[in-house]
Amino acid sequence: MDELKVMAKALKMSFHARMQYKADSIVATLAVFFRESTGIIVIYLTLMKFDTLGDWNINELLFLYSILFLTYSAVVVLFADLRDFSRMIREGRFDRLMLTPRGLLIQLISNNADVIAAFGHGGLGVLLFIVSASRVGITWNFTTTIYYISAIIGGILIQGGMFVFFSSLSFYFVETNSLRDIFYWQMRRFAGYPISIFGKFFQTIMIYVVPFAFVNYFPAQYLLRKSDLAQYPELYIYVAPLVGVVLYTAAYLFWRISVKNYKSTGN
């Protein structure tokens, strides 16, 4: 409980530090919002001509994207330092954290919340949800609401677990940006689309290797029940929120093992 209080205070301090220059923060937030909106605009213009993409209409795709943006907005609040962890290792800044009495991962989660990216992605996610949620035929009740909230938490844990995993690799290889770029950022670009439109090899990667399918596709399928769900075990839509817990726990255990092998870079 004490660790959570410290983390909450650190996140609050990070927020106030970022918002010291309000005008600059607002402009930066809008820049992130409009940058991410360009992909949505492209999809919208495309579907004006073709109507559907793999049997998914524009509102269903916007709903799929909304989950992706909402989960990532929390990820950059909690895992911003892990997002760029290899630089911290290269510059020797991680050594300072090892001299403090708090847990290393708790310190990394507490530090440097990227509230600019969080507001930009989160604002777009909320907007897409408002636009699409009432138009995709979802019956919102206690069960679907609890599932949706659980899926959002699960999606945050999946992506956070990926950052923890790639950060753990930095203890062995120091520089892991290329791996992270390929297996996180590049895969995330495709996660806004139904995985059923891709080939089987790519679907396998998105489900079993870099499980972005459990961030938004399978949770969305629980609520939408699109025809392409028949290609996958129905169990996946029910366990999607739990995948985040399993993946994050595995990544955390790997972190605990890996940090014991850390040797300072000497910078």
Side-chain angles (χ1 to χ4, degrees):
M1 185 62 69
D2 185 50
E3 296 281 4
L4 292 177
K5 289 181 179 179
V6 171
M7 187 173 70
K9 288 181 179 179
L11 289 173
K12 184 177 179 180
M13 289 171 61
S14 181
F15 171 79
H16 286 305
R18 291 272 186 166
M19 297 303 293
Q20 238 181 343
Y21 304 99
K22 292 183 175 59
D24 182 69
S25 298
I26 292 171
V27 171
T29 298
L30 290 175
V32 172
F33 179 92
F34 288 117
R35 182 193 68 198
E36 299 299 326
S37 296
T38 55
I40 305 300
I41 294 171
V42 170
I43 293 175
Y44 180 79
L45 294 176
T46 301
L47 291 188
M48 284 182 63
K49 186 173 183 179
F50 296 105
D51 294 329
T52 61
L53 180 64
D55 196 38
W56 289 63
N57 63 40
I58 183 60
N59 288 311
E60 291 161 345
L61 286 171
L62 293 182
F63 184 75
L64 198 63
Y65 258 106
S66 71
I67 299 176
L68 191 62
F69 284 119
L70 286 172
T71 53
Y72 184 72
S73 68
V75 169
V76 291
V77 169
L78 298 173
F79 300 98
D81 264 355
L82 290 168
R83 182 183 56 184
D84 306 310
F85 187 69
S86 59
R87 177 184 295 178
M88 180 178 288
I89 292 290
R90 287 198 313 272
E91 296 175 353
R93 290 185 287 121
F94 183 70
D95 297 32
R96 294 201 299 265
L97 299 183
M98 301 186 74
L99 301 175
T100 61
R102 298 292 175 184
L104 294 171
L105 198 54
I106 287 291
Q107 292 183 72
L108 289 167
I109 291 174
S110 303
N111 292 336
N112 197 33
D114 192 348
V115 295
I116 301 299
F119 286 152
H121 286 84
L124 183 57
V126 170
L127 177 62
L128 294 178
F129 178 82
I130 292 172
V131 169
S132 63
S134 61
R135 302 177 181 178
V136 291
I138 299 173
T139 301
W140 291 103
N141 52 39
F142 179 78
T143 302
T144 53
T145 301
I146 292 298
Y147 178 90
Y148 180 81
I149 295 172
S150 301
I152 294 294
I153 295 172
I156 294 167
L157 290 175
I158 288 173
Q159 295 173 81
M162 290 185 202
F163 283 140
V164 172
F165 175 77
F166 290 122
S167 297
S168 300
L169 290 178
S170 297
F171 294 127
Y172 302 98
F173 306 110
V174 181
E175 180 56 72
T176 59
N177 283 339
S178 296
L179 284 173
R180 188 191 61 218
D181 290 346
I182 294 171
F183 289 103
Y184 182 84
W185 297 114
Q186 295 301 322
M187 292 298 105
R188 184 177 178 271
R189 290 177 58 189
F190 299 103
Y193 300 92
I195 63 168
S196 57
I197 70 173
F198 302 114
K200 290 296 183 182
F201 176 75
F202 197 79
Q203 291 181 41
T204 300
I205 292 176
M206 295 287 283
I207 295 173
Y208 302 109
V209 181
V210 187
F212 268 111
F214 291 96
V215 173
N216 60 343
Y217 177 75
F218 288 121
Q221 282 285 26
Y222 176 89
L223 299 166
L224 302 178
R225 304 298 172 113
K226 300 294 295 179
S227 60
D228 54 332
L229 177 60
Q231 301 179 35
Y232 313 102
E234 189 175 354
L235 176 66
Y236 288 177
I237 66 175
Y238 298 106
V239 302
L242 298 177
V243 171
V245 177
V246 174
L247 190 148
Y248 186 82
T249 301
Y252 174 71
L253 293 175
F254 182 54
W255 166 274
R256 292 288 300 271
I257 294 170
S258 300
V259 76
K260 293 177 183 178
N261 297 313
Y262 172 64
K263 294 180 176 64
S264 176
T265 57
N267 292 332

